[in-house]
Amino acid sequence: MSYNKEILLIRPKLSLANDGNYREMRYFSPWKGERIVEDFYLPRSIQKIVGQKKTRIGDALISTRDSCVGTETCEELFTPRAPGIGAGLDGCEIMSNSSGSHHELRKLNTRIELIREATLKAGGIYLYANPPKTRLGIPIPTRINGINLENPGLFYDGSAMIIINGVVVAQGSQFSLRDVEVVTATVDLEDVRSYRSSKSRALQATKQPSYERVEVEMSLSNDPEDVDLLVRPSLPSDVRFYTPEEEISLGPACWLWDYLRRSKQAGFFLPLSGDPKSVHTYQGLLGIDSCATAVIVHSMCRLVHGDIAEGKNSQVLKDLLNIVGEPSTSSWVPKSSQEVASRLFHTAYLGMQENSAPDTRSRSKNLAMAIGSYHLDLNIDGPYKAIVSLFSSVTSYVPKYKVYGGTNASNLALQNIQARLRMVLSYLFAQLLPTVRGRNADNPETSSPGGLLVLGSANVDESLCSSADINPIGGISKTDLKRFILWASTSFDMPLLQSFIDAPPTAELEPITADYTQSDEADMGMTYAELSVYGRLRKEDKLGPYGAWSKLLHLWGDKMSPQQVYEKVKWFFWCYSINRHKMTTLTPSLHMESYSPDDNRFDLRFVHPFYISRLSQFPYVHLGKLGRLRIADKTLSLRPFLYPNFTWAYKKIERSIAALEERGKKVLSAVESKSATGVKKTV
């Protein structure tokens, strides 16, 4: 904290964020403790600038002629005993917080309630500041081959605010394309003093240990004799809370724009025929996920066009001209969000003649037209057949789909060929489409055509392996995405989005026959609603197989037996274990949900890979509608597991089920015995 080139106080953090997205204690240590202050000798380079040899460092307050100012930083607001409470009892009237709080769905409510509660109890003025942008370049606690990776997946959602005695009098925007936003309000210090006149607070204040105060000769307010009737306190303002659907529309849109302009790429490429990845993620061809990603880009284009049309943010137009390949002196100004999309958003339907439904292809074309993207429509049958033919000529083995009598292994292999072909073609188009379209061809400032960022479209519930540059929906659940599409269909006046909700989720990687159409949920052996429940139990509630089973007995006990719940839990943890290693190479995605499985930064696990060698540890695999199927292929037992095999947990569940069955038999026997006795007496 400084004033007129004098460093008044260095206030270090008392509590460090060390979970979720943050590992601050890997690099830093918290301060020694509350109210500990000492001298700090400034570096010579600083001494030359400020003409000051030393300053105070520690947990102290700043005293002006008319008030007292303190500060707490970021994580300290979320701790059970926030520093602002003690400082307030010792007479601090203004508390500031220079925060770095990332966006999560529904998180702003928690943030505001914490500040409100603190100032409602102790009174005072709270100044809350938070970055309004993506913070790129943050080192995360992961090193690969000695290289520090960076965390591009956090969006800091602004919402700077001023609160007095629990009442919000000013609030900044939560989602904005602006780099800087200043929020101001006029408050009356006497309101704080009046609010703090309660006897219970006064009694607690007498027992509060004193803080050291650094005095500064300045005033925050005018003298009473110099009262200005034109200056009046700011009135209470209604807090603006977005619905989750609005947050999905705006948060990822701002993140995409910030990522695009900072990366200096030519735009985005989105395959509307499924995310270019392994079929184990069961990403449908132009289903909810691909559609939601496209609509989020549409929302970004709406924000860009809106800021340009209002003329309040000249930087947005400068960035757009650079992205689309126009010189800085260009007079081009987009007339609509569709015109923005036509220059920077590229989509493609990469279908298969035999596997892709005509309705899916049509929806792809209609969505691209509504958004305004540069759209391509093609089939990948040629390269697909070439790869299968090459394999057959080398091995003399012709792989077949399951519907044509093929094995599970060949069925999966043929699907993966399509997925990987889409990956290769997506990056080919992303690399060369700017060249094909002549980007920067007539730009005297640069001639480089650049490339496109490939967008992934795997949601948080199925985010196992995705080959893309960035993924705007990787932290959003399938359930929330469906609600978002329904909201966007009316809010963006896009009625065609209803058809995506009505269409069943399918990868369309297997042939469509008269009696068979591939289904994501059948392939997974669980519904998306169940998958979301498992994810929250595992991450948020920190439950393993036994804990999850115990919890689900109460949630699902009215429609499933304990044995059925056990089989579902066991199947989920099997799938989770064999795919856990893929999280270390997950496409960078925007963090939006508190049960994200991304172990690069949020869901860290300290485990060692090993191999399962005994089939008895996992005696069966649950294959959707096929019920239970014994493992016949020994290669399934050789997949790498990043987790223990949970044998002890499963045995504990089985003992519990046996105990429940035994108890049920005793109850039934007692009821039957009582019933029989009653019959004899009647006779």
Side-chain angles (χ1 to χ4, degrees), residues 211-483:
Y211 283 74
E212 178 179 321
R213 302 201 179 197
V214 178
E215 296 187 358
V216 54
E217 291 300 316
M218 60 90 67
S219 297
L220 297 173
S221 60
N222 294 331
D223 292 332
E225 296 81 8
D226 300 329
V227 62
D228 187 350
L229 295 178
L230 297 178
V231 178
R232 61 187 63 185
S234 300
L235 297 175
S237 63
D238 294 330
V239 180
R240 175 67 164 98
F241 290 117
Y242 289 99
T243 65
E245 293 79 16
E246 290 174 314
E247 289 187 89
I248 294 172
S249 168
L250 297 170
C254 292
W255 179 73
L256 283 175
W257 176 252
D258 212 38
Y259 204 109
L260 179 59
R261 72 190 187 104
R262 294 192 188 202
S263 65
K264 301 186 185 304
Q265 297 302 301
F268 298 119
F269 180 86
L270 174 65
L272 292 178
S273 44
D275 197 36
K277 59 196 173 191
S278 164
V279 301
H280 286 99
T281 51
Y282 303 112
Q283 169 62 35
L285 272 116
L286 195 58
I288 292 297
D289 299 327
S290 299
C291 172
T293 303
V295 175
I296 286 171
V297 177
H298 174 61
S299 177
M300 182 202 78
C301 294
R302 287 168 60 96
L303 290 176
V304 170
H305 174 257
D307 272 24
I308 293 174
E310 292 176 4
K312 296 180 180 179
N313 191 352
S314 59
Q315 185 61 44
V316 172
L317 180 57
K318 292 179 182 178
D319 291 333
L320 180 62
L321 292 177
N322 181 59
I323 291 168
V324 302
E326 293 282 344
S328 57
T329 57
S330 173
S331 60
W332 176 76
V333 176
K335 297 180 177 61
S336 65
S337 62
Q338 284 77 12
E339 190 173 353
V340 175
S342 69
R343 299 291 297 270
L344 60 79
F345 188 32
H346 305 70
T347 55
Y349 184 82
L350 309 174
M352 288 279 291
Q353 195 68 38
E354 187 179 18
N355 301 347
S356 303
D359 289 346
T360 311
R361 191 182 299 270
S362 175
R363 286 199 303 271
S364 170
K365 182 179 179 181
N366 292 337
L367 178 63
M369 187 179 302
I371 291 174
S373 66
Y374 179 87
H375 186 64
L376 300 172
D377 190 326
L378 64 147
N379 288 324
I380 61 172
D381 298 70
Y384 165 80
K385 292 177 180 177
I387 292 175
V388 174
S389 176
L390 174 63
F391 175 82
S392 299
S393 65
V394 172
T395 62
S396 300
Y397 177 83
V398 180
K400 297 179 181 179
Y401 288 107
K402 184 173 58 178
V403 295
Y404 296 145
T407 65
N408 286 329
S410 64
N411 188 66
L412 190 63
L414 293 176
Q415 293 180 69
N416 270 318
I417 292 174
Q418 299 170 61
R420 292 312 177 203
L421 272 176
R422 289 184 178 124
M423 177 191 70
V424 173
L425 290 172
S426 292
Y427 276 98
L428 174 63
F429 283 120
Q431 187 72 46
L432 294 180
L433 275 181
T435 301
V436 172
R437 300 189 66 190
R439 178 178 180 266
N440 281 327
D442 300 320
N443 190 345
E445 298 168 358
T446 178
S447 59
S448 173
L452 304 173
L453 294 171
V454 178
L455 296 180
S457 55
N459 65 68
V460 70
D461 293 325
E462 61 182 20
S463 197
L464 299 177
C465 180
S466 175
S467 300
D469 291 316
I470 55 174
N471 182 0
I473 67 167
I476 309 174
S477 72
K478 190 85 167 185
T479 303
D480 282 334
L481 286 175
K482 286 183 177 179
R483 294 196 187 106

Side-chain angles (χ1 to χ4, degrees), residues 498-561:
Q498 182 62 45
S499 62
F500 294 89
I501 297 293
D502 298 335
T506 172
E508 290 191 355
L509 294 170
E510 296 181 68
I512 300 174
T513 65
D515 55 355
Y516 178 77
T517 300
Q518 188 178 16
S519 167
D520 286 359
E521 293 182 339
D523 286 344
M524 292 190 297
M526 65 190 80
T527 67
Y528 281 108
E530 291 172 346
L531 189 54
S532 181
V533 172
Y534 297 139
R536 294 189 185 279
L537 291 176
R538 183 197 64 81
K539 177 58 182 174
E540 292 183 358
D541 296 346
K542 300 175 176 62
L543 299 178
Y546 183 79
W549 175 78
S550 301
K551 193 96 169 182
L552 290 173
L553 279 182
H554 302 291
L555 294 176
W556 296 347
D558 60 334
K559 53 187 177 183
M560 298 182 197
S561 68

Side-chain angles (χ1 to χ4, degrees), residues 617-633:
Q617 292 175 326
F618 287 89
Y620 63 82
V621 179
H622 187 170
L623 294 180
K625 296 181 179 178
L626 298 180
R628 291 190 290 176
L629 182 67
R630 294 275 173 183
I631 295 179
D633 186 351

